[in-house]
């Protein structure tokens, strides 16, 4: 999917709410942000994301992601 968009993993981010989402982000090599709206009942901090935000409304404030900033320099 990233290839079709012409985007590298370092330029992408996955926003999710479960271990499956974090796992998909890891498998794709992209930065993972977790929101606590999941259906699993697991603590967001236990999902292994790069960043946890308090709500989906906080996702825009999570940018720029560090990998993109570091690669742009």
């Amino acid at each position: 999917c990233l290839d079709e968009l012409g985007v590298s993993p370092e330029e992408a981010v996955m926003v999710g709410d479960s271990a499956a989402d974090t796992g998909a982000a890891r498998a794709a090599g992209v930065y993972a942000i977790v929101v606590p709206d999941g259906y699993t009942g697991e603590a967001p901090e236990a999902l292994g994301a790069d960043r946890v935000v308090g709500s989906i409304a906080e996702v825009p404030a999570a940018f720029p992601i560090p990998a993109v900033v570091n690669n742009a320099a």
Side-chain angles (χ1 to χ4, degrees):
C1 220
L2 294 175
D3 288 337
E4 292 176 15
L5 295 171
V7 176
S8 71
E10 294 82 17
E11 297 173 304
V13 64
M14 168 72 159
V15 178
D17 60 7
S18 70
D21 294 334
T22 303
R26 293 288 172 248
V30 304
Y31 192 83
I33 298 176
V34 168
V35 295
D37 300 327
Y39 57 89
T40 65
E42 294 179 73
E45 297 78 15
L47 299 177
D50 296 298
R51 185 149 184 191
V52 175
V53 295
S55 72
I56 195 72
E58 294 179 21
V59 171
F63 293 91
I65 59 174
V68 173
V69 171
N70 292 336
N71 288 332

